[in-house]
Amino acid sequence: MTYVVIDNCISCKYTDCVEVCPVDCFYEGENMLVIHPDECIDCGVCEPECPADAIRPDTEPDMEQWVEFNRKYSEMWPVIITKKDPLPDAEERDGETGKLEKYFSEAPGEGG
């Protein structure tokens, strides 16, 4: 099992999760985070820390696509271990549907 970040993180990018991760397996894109599925130790401490409920175990239905999505971008983006402010529209975008198609950016974040 591993944990993955799903589309509700897009345009929110809360980083509460990165501070509690004991193995630093979060990676930062321009407008979301991902978890490297091969680095995650399945401890689950990040899941309750996410205000947007965007972290899920891969054992939930239909998570295969998110495992591959997280793997792909964790290999392209820089690691993030420090909490940062969420994106300006985070509260407004939290829970919005269709965020992957509307807002996702493949650009890397700053990391740190």
Side-chain angles (χ1 to χ4, degrees):
M1 186 176 92
T2 187
Y3 284 82
V4 293
V5 179
I6 61 171
D7 57 344
N8 204 44
C9 184
I10 300 169
S11 294
C12 290
K13 200 167 81 168
Y14 292 102
T15 56
D16 306 64
C17 53
V18 303
E19 284 194 319
V20 299
C21 180
V23 293
D24 302 336
C25 65
F26 280 89
Y27 292 79
E28 184 184 16
E30 180 179 37
N31 67 357
M32 79 173 293
L33 304 176
V34 293
I35 296 171
H36 195 302
D38 298 332
E39 295 174 0
C40 177
I41 61 170
D42 315 326
C43 68
V45 296
C46 59
E47 187 180 20
E49 296 299 317
C50 181
D53 191 29
I55 300 174
R56 302 285 171 77
D58 71 345
T59 53
E60 287 188 5
D62 303 319
M63 286 295 126
E64 298 85 10
Q65 72 180 40
W66 290 108
V67 171
E68 291 313 310
F69 181 94
N70 278 246
R71 183 183 319 281
K72 175 181 178 179
Y73 290 102
S74 65
E75 293 174 0
M76 297 169 55
W77 294 346
V79 69
I80 178 172
I81 59 171
T82 307
K83 184 176 177 178
K84 299 178 181 182
D85 290 334
L87 295 176
D89 294 335
E91 286 186 33
E92 179 184 324
R93 299 263 191 262
D94 187 5
E96 185 177 329
T97 59
K99 291 168 73 170
L100 183 63
E101 296 78 20
K102 289 190 267 187
Y103 308 119
F104 176 68
S105 169
E106 291 190 348
E110 296 176 2

